[in-house]
Amino acid sequence: TFLVDADANVGSMIYHLRIANQDTNATLTSLLKTRAARLESGSSQPDPHGLQNIALAGEFLRSFTPYQDIPALNFLPGIAVKDLGTKFLENNLAADVVMKGLFDAGTSANGVVLMDVGINPANPIHSAALRNADAIAMVIKAEIPDIAHTRHWIIEMIDTVAKIPGWSEKQAREYILSRINICYNMVSAAGWERPHNVLQEALGADLKVSNLVLTVNGFLPIVPPNIADTAVNSATARDLY
């Protein structure tokens, strides 16, 4: 499994995995910065024989860092706070190359690539990840505020993909809806069905799609507070750094 923190709002993967102090091979920031610099310098040229693509695949695969406690897990930390708003993060072509490269590297190694992309499809990083995704997992609470945001989020994803040259709105809608898999978080045994039906009805009306069906493929039950506290919080100060 290859885990990528691609949340453009600076994700929290390094803290959840307790890897804040671990030396890493690369970060998403460093990959985007390097690729943007190469594009601006003109060093990235057409490659008719595919040799550069082979080298690039190896470069992206080596960018992942093995997780010390789980041999089958590899990770790539995300964007540093100090780099938010910098020019290279808005480089669409660099984002396209890096996102595709990370997906291809993981799958070529017979792995699964998971990316946390946040909730802003208009961001170049999020948009590039969408265009390469085989599935889109949406983890939400079965509550009206989350349902409402999810409705708008799906529409924004469709609008983003529809802006790709050569894509129609219909193609974008089919692409996104066929990939969405919803996981309801902190639910009771039957507490998800009514809000889920509301989401399907509202989104179907928005998109003018009758009998819209959104796939539900997972549930995270309500967790006792003491267990949740242990999972999220550490008693070790070094995990903050």
Side-chain angles (χ1 to χ4, degrees):
T1 299
F2 297 88
L3 186 60
V4 180
D5 190 346
D7 188 339
N9 294 321
V10 186
S12 55
M13 181 184 76
I14 63 171
Y15 300 109
H16 285 300
L17 294 182
R18 309 288 193 267
I19 55 177
N21 288 308
Q22 183 172 338
D23 290 335
T24 56
N25 296 335
T27 66
L28 185 57
T29 296
S30 66
L31 293 180
L32 291 166
K33 192 171 185 177
T34 299
R35 183 53 45 185
R38 290 179 183 176
L39 291 168
E40 291 176 2
S41 68
S43 60
S44 295
Q45 301 296 331
D47 180 24
H49 302 292
L51 297 178
Q52 289 182 10
N53 289 337
I54 294 173
L56 193 60
E59 179 183 331
F60 282 124
L61 192 59
R62 290 190 298 273
S63 69
F64 287 97
T65 300
Y67 186 57
Q68 296 172 343
D69 298 325
I70 306 176
L73 179 62
N74 304 272
F75 66 90
L76 181 69
I79 299 165
V81 175
K82 63 182 178 61
D83 291 317
L84 288 178
T86 52
K87 184 179 178 181
F88 68 84
L89 291 183
E90 299 300 321
N91 189 313
N92 287 277
L93 186 53
D96 285 341
V97 173
V98 170
M99 291 294 103
K100 184 178 188 306
L102 292 172
F103 272 116
D104 289 348
T107 54
S108 67
N110 298 315
V112 175
V113 182
L114 303 178
M115 292 191 179
D116 176 6
V117 294
I119 57 172
N120 181 13
N123 183 278
I125 299 169
H126 190 161
S127 176
L130 279 179
R131 294 196 293 273
N132 289 279
D134 290 324
I136 302 168
M138 307 183 74
V139 182
I140 61 176
K141 290 184 179 180
E143 301 173 351
I144 286 300
D146 264 25
I147 293 294
H149 285 300
T150 300
R151 170 192 176 190
H152 297 301
W153 186 13
I154 292 173
I155 292 173
E156 288 172 6
M157 286 192 287
I158 293 172
D159 289 343
T160 295
V161 174
K163 293 176 182 176
I164 301 173
W167 284 65
S168 67
E169 185 176 343
K170 180 181 178 182
Q171 288 174 313
R173 183 171 65 241
E174 292 174 350
Y175 178 89
I176 293 297
L177 292 179
S178 67
R179 284 164 170 74
I180 288 175
N181 294 279
I182 293 178
C183 175
Y184 281 108
N185 187 20
M186 296 181 66
V187 294
S188 58
W192 63 274
E193 294 183 80
R194 184 172 57 183
H196 182 71
N197 290 336
V198 170
L199 173 60
Q200 291 184 133
E201 181 180 345
L203 189 61
D206 291 334
L207 301 175
K208 298 180 174 57
V209 177
S210 59
N211 300 317
L212 176 67
V213 176
L214 294 175
T215 302
V216 179
N217 74 333
F219 300 95
L220 298 173
I222 295 174
V223 178
N226 61 315
I227 297 177
D229 177 75
T230 302
V232 174
N233 295 316
S234 170
T236 305
R238 68 172 181 269
D239 288 332
L240 299 179
Y241 303 98

